[in-house]
């Protein structure tokens, strides 16, 4: 039986105190050796663990042998649908996933969690992540995304512990800057969501430069999966296709069909989040596939895959238009390719099939099956167990 040594286990200080302990974040050679031998278990904390990315990331980090802690919000309905398949009773001897109630609007609570968990790495994914909704709730969006990030950065700074920090930055920050976009492209945010993410992104850079915090940002372009929230356009489309085939839906109402996005496959993007924090130096990385498609192209691909003509089913509803939208968005991930070996495996055309198959299976009809074959071929050693979850957004 392997013995797990915790190198970062000082006596717990009273709440509000500053933990004074030897950090393993940064991993000196000795610790690296222990990790290799499976004698050291890294502790990570994920905000937004119940979301699309958080759920995949938790599964990936458990697969890597980490002890995973996640912050969840109290809700009157279950919001853990995406992580139910990896959850075990925390009293079980092999439990490695632990959930803590908290909210990014509440610094005291988040601080309490960080001081008690004492993570080596924090992956900060929690956000009001819907761009259209951010126009309806600009103040709340700013509070959670912009101030929520600064709350965590301040807790890390005051702790004097070298916790590594990952920030979920977004391609939305580039707004209407010309594509393709890389780490040097100017930010021109055109939504409350994008403006809040831009504030958070610059604060991360500020803490990195001013306080030597190991803080990195992944500027991720759109990434989707069967776990995507159902009100984001890709999932709305693939779910509608499955429903229409099953005779449960007649029409699909959408907004701007002309907007173009660089769509990739979410599990690949969480792998790269981890890789970003394993670098020797912190920094910013643009992550995308380098190819863009319009919303209408995505619609046509999904309907064609199911043998349907999209023009018969798709209607425009102006309510889904945004006061300002990002017209096109495509990543130049040269830096990530060179430094991280980033090489996306799933193309948009394949992503569509993976998502339609999963949505068909979820409502109880036989999937067409090409998506399943793509998954098997591209990920022979896939680390995630559930393709589809009940998570809504
Ligand atoms: P998501 O599915 O919407 O998940 C968001 C997560 O944040 C959920 O776990 C949600 O909890 C949590 N959350 C929301 N408000 C919170 C609050 N006040 N306090 C604590 N937690 C809160 O988003 P995602 O697609 O996984 O994206 C993850 C992160 O990457 C987000 O920051 C997003 O902005 C960013 N990002 C995403 C993409 C993309 O294409 N997916 C691209 C670039 C950047 P509940 O489950 O309780 O709602
Ligand atoms: O799927 P979307 O809502 O994603 P959006 O706005 O690009 O944001 C997502 O990706 C960002 C990465 O750049 C993340 F940071 C962010 O958190 C989120 O995950 O919309 C994509 C496009 C937009 O141009 C929108 O106007 O689809 C267009 N669209 C057309 N009809 C629609 C609809 N979007 C939604 N959600 N619903 C529609 O009916």
């Amino acid at each position: 039986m392997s013995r797990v040594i915790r190198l970062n286990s000082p006596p717990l200080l009273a709440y509000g105190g500053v933990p004074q302990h030897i950090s393993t974040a940064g991993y000196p050679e000795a610790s690296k050796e222990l990790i290799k031998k499976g004698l050291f278990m890294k502790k990570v904390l994920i905000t937004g663990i119940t979301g699309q990315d958080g759920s995949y990331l938790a599964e990936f980090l458990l697969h890597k042998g980490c002890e995973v802690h996640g912050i969840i919000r109290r809700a009157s309905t279950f919001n853990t649908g995406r992580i139910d398949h990896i959850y075990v009773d925390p009293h079980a001897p092999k439990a490695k996933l632990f959930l803590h109630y908290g909210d990014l609007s509440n610094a005291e609570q988040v601080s309490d969690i960080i001081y008690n968990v004492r993570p080596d790495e924090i992956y900060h994914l929690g956000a009001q992540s819907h761009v259209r909704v951010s126009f309806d709730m600009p103040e709340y969006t700013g509070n959670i995304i912009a101030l929520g990030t600064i709350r965590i950065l301040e807790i890390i700074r005051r702790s004097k512990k070298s916790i590594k920090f990952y920030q979920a930055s977004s391609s939305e920050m580039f707004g209407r800057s010309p594509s393709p976009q890389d780490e040097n492209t100017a930010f021109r945010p055109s939504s409350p969501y994008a403006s809040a993410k831009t504030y958070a992104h610059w604060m991360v850079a500020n803490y990195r430069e001013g306080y030597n915090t190991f803080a990195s940002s992944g500027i991720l372009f759109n990434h989707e999966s069967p776990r995507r929230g159902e009100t984001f356009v890709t999932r709305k489309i693939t779910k509608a296709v499955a429903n229409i085939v099953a005779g449960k839906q007649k029409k699909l109402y959408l907004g701007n069909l002309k907007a173009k996005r660089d769509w990739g496959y979410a599990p690949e993007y969480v792998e790269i989040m981890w890789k970003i924090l394993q670098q020797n130096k912190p920094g910013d990385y643009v992550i995308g596939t380098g190819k863009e498609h319009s919303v209408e192209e995505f619609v046509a691909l999904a309907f064609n895959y199911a043998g349907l003509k999209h023009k018969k089913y798709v209607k425009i509803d102006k309510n889904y238009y945004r006061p300002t939208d990002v017209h096109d968005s495509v990543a130049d991930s040269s830096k990530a390719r060179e430094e991280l070996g980033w090489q996306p495996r799933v193309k948009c055309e394949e992503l569509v099939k993976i998502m339609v198959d999963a949505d068909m299976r979820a409502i109880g009809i036989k999937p067409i099956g090409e998506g399943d074959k793509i998954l098997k071929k591209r990920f022979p050693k896939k680390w995630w167990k559930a393709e589809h979850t009940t998570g809504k957004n």
Side-chain angles (χ1 to χ4, degrees), residues 128-140:
Q128 189 301 94
S129 74
H130 203 287
V131 176
R132 176 67 191 86
V133 172
S134 80
F135 287 98
D136 298 332
M137 304 177 73
E139 183 186 334
Y140 175 76

Side-chain angles (χ1 to χ4, degrees), residues 47-55 71-75 79-80 82 102-105 124-130 140 144-145 166-172 193 197 218-224 227-229 232 263 266 269 273 392-393:
T47 73
I49 193 168
T50 54
Q52 170 189 254
D53 290 5
S55 66
I71 299 184
I72 62 164
R73 297 194 285 179
R74 197 269 154 185
N79 57 2
T80 53
R82 294 183 178 101
D103 195 295
L104 289 162
S105 61
H124 176 41
L125 313 183
Q128 189 301 94
S129 74
H130 203 287
Y140 175 76
I144 301 310
I145 293 180
Y166 173 87
Q167 167 64 11
S169 285
S170 164
S171 55
E172 277 289 307
Y193 167 84
K197 281 282 180 188
I219 307 175
L220 271 46
F221 282 62
N222 299 49
H223 44 281
E224 321 289 315
R227 296 191 196 176
R228 186 55 140 154
F232 293 93
W263 280 298
Y269 288 63
M273 292 176 186
K392 292 193 185 345
N393 195 347

Side-chain angles (χ1 to χ4, degrees), residues 28 53 65 72-73 110 130 168 264 267 280 312 323 349 385:
D53 290 5
I72 62 164
R73 297 194 285 179
V110 175
H130 203 287
N280 292 329
K312 190 173 158 201
E349 299 83 336
K385 300 255 177 330

Side-chain angles (χ1 to χ4, degrees), residues 316-357:
I316 298 300
D317 179 344
K318 295 266 185 227
N319 285 318
Y320 295 120
Y321 274 76
R322 298 162 185 194
T324 45
D325 203 349
V326 172
H327 297 312
D328 78 320
S329 157
V330 60
D332 174 350
S333 300
S334 306
K335 180 182 173 193
R337 214 169 31 242
E338 278 154 35
E339 294 185 15
L340 310 174
W342 166 247
Q343 197 70 60
R345 283 160 280 179
V346 174
K347 296 192 187 93
C348 182
E349 299 83 336
E350 298 173 321
L351 172 67
V352 169
K353 293 177 178 173
I354 292 169
M355 291 177 69
V356 171
D357 272 3

